Amino acid sequence: MPLPDSTEGTTEGLIDRAAAVVHPYWLLTFTALFWSGNAVVARALRDVIPPMAMSLWRWLLALAILLLLAWPALIRERARLTAHWRVLLALGVFGVAAYNALLYSALQTTTATNGLLINAVTPVLIIVAECVLFGVRLSLRRWAGVAAALAGIVAVVTRGDPAALATLALNRGDLLLLMAAVTWTVYTLALRRLPAGLDPLAMLATTVGVGVVFLLPVFAWEYAAGARTQWGTAAWLGVAYIGVFPSVLAYLFYNRGVQAVGGHRASMFLYLIPVFGIVLAIVFLGERLAWFHALGTALIFGGIALATINRRAAVK
């Protein structure tokens, strides 16, 4: 679909065109890659940047970038944005402020194994919610894909020994991750309420602005309690990464993916996050690829293929 003349040649017009010609599944794959890096950076900097500060700095940088890119679109779309303020408020509160604050707080205490297992609940919550609320019908093949991807997660985090699940112990961070999974489910469902054709940059800038407003008092409470960011090279580079890739690009890609293929298909790509996490650990931490990594990766990719590839019995 051609863009309006007012956006031709502008930055937001170029970004919108680029997203329009890339298959949604590729966008969702890059989303998983960027978010896997977000988890790695957040875990690495947990002793350098307090969780609420990390969330605020991330979104302030993202908001500054988005305002530079989306200002013309914000002016042009202000009437439509105002008309759908309830949906945008929900997106900003649940998907920007609450989800990220809960995630970064959880990473202070939870283990990587628990984190991956609990995050694996998110796609299932989204799929079940879409079935109940929107009448989405999944075939047995798609449910088999969900089960295969879940099995892949278990294979990775238990290092090929399912009996290790019996030794897992839940803590405060795990409860926060469960709450984060619920908030992300709400965010994904709310995306279905957005009108077609709404400028993606204007929408994201608005929701990020809402999220920042709700994060400010929580950050103030954390700051008053004595938590401080230890600014240095690692902190600056970490904030730069999470402010650009997992925030601006990943959210644009995820939003478009959900609107293009539905939350039930888009959520399956969240299972790629641990796969990319394995790759990052091998490249940057010198870890070795084990048989259970290969098995888990094969199950995850196979599950995604089963749940997303269209056939005649596809979901309507």
Side-chain angles (χ1 to χ4, degrees):
M1 179 181 294
L3 294 172
D5 292 340
S6 58
T7 63
E8 289 186 1
T10 63
T11 303
E12 73 268 16
L14 292 174
I15 292 176
D16 207 18
R17 283 186 176 185
V21 300
V22 177
H23 196 283
Y25 289 166
W26 278 111
L27 296 178
L28 292 166
T29 300
F30 278 106
T31 297
L33 174 62
F34 296 153
W35 279 341
S36 67
N38 177 50
V40 171
V41 170
R43 184 70 177 167
L45 296 179
R46 67 188 185 278
D47 296 326
V48 177
I49 308 178
M52 298 304 107
M54 184 178 296
S55 194
L56 182 64
W57 303 143
R58 166 188 181 174
W59 290 112
L60 280 176
L61 175 58
L63 181 60
I65 295 171
L66 287 166
L67 287 177
L68 287 174
L69 297 176
W71 189 254
L74 284 167
I75 300 301
R76 187 173 62 248
E77 299 269 13
R78 62 185 181 276
R80 299 184 72 197
L81 293 169
T82 303
H84 296 88
W85 68 269
R86 292 181 181 84
V87 178
L88 295 170
L89 177 65
L91 292 172
V93 170
F94 289 99
V96 175
Y99 175 78
N100 289 278
L102 291 168
L103 174 64
Y104 290 151
S105 296
L107 291 174
Q108 300 288 310
T109 56
T110 193
T111 64
T113 297
N114 286 20
L116 286 171
L117 282 173
I118 294 171
N119 273 329
V121 173
T122 307
V124 178
L125 287 177
I126 293 171
I127 291 169
V128 171
E130 284 205 330
C131 290
V132 172
L133 298 177
F134 299 109
V136 173
R137 293 177 293 116
L138 268 68
S139 64
L140 288 177
R141 175 175 60 84
R142 294 186 187 280
W143 282 116
V146 174
L150 279 170
I153 295 289
V154 173
V156 170
V157 301
T158 62
R159 305 178 71 84
D161 181 16
L165 292 174
T167 65
L168 292 178
L170 298 179
N171 57 33
R172 175 177 174 273
D174 301 322
L175 177 60
L176 294 176
L177 277 177
L178 285 172
M179 294 170 63
V182 173
T183 63
W184 192 255
T185 300
V186 174
Y187 175 83
T188 301
L189 297 179
L191 287 172
R192 293 179 62 118
R193 299 294 187 182
L194 288 174
L198 185 65
D199 186 275
L201 281 171
M203 185 275 286
L204 185 56
T206 303
T207 56
V208 169
V210 171
V212 167
V213 169
F214 278 85
L215 281 170
L216 282 171
V218 186
F219 166 77
W221 171 82
E222 181 184 72
Y223 190 87
R228 298 290 186 272
T229 300
Q230 301 173 32
W231 290 110
T233 302
W236 285 110
L237 290 177
V239 170
Y241 173 80
I242 63 177
V244 175
F245 293 94
S247 303
V248 176
L249 294 179
Y251 271 70
L252 283 172
F253 293 172
Y254 184 78
N255 293 350
R256 182 170 182 82
V258 169
Q259 292 174 326
V261 303
H264 54 284
R265 291 191 183 95
S267 66
M268 290 298 298
F269 286 80
L270 300 178
Y271 286 123
L272 289 178
I273 293 176
V275 174
F276 287 128
I278 293 169
V279 174
L280 292 173
I282 292 172
V283 173
F284 295 106
L285 302 179
E287 295 186 8
R288 294 184 177 181
L289 182 67
W291 67 269
F292 51 83
H293 290 142
L295 173 62
T297 300
L299 285 170
I300 291 170
F301 274 105
I304 291 173
L306 281 173
T308 59
I309 293 176
N310 288 315
R311 292 182 181 175
R312 289 190 175 183
V315 174
K316 300 297 183 184

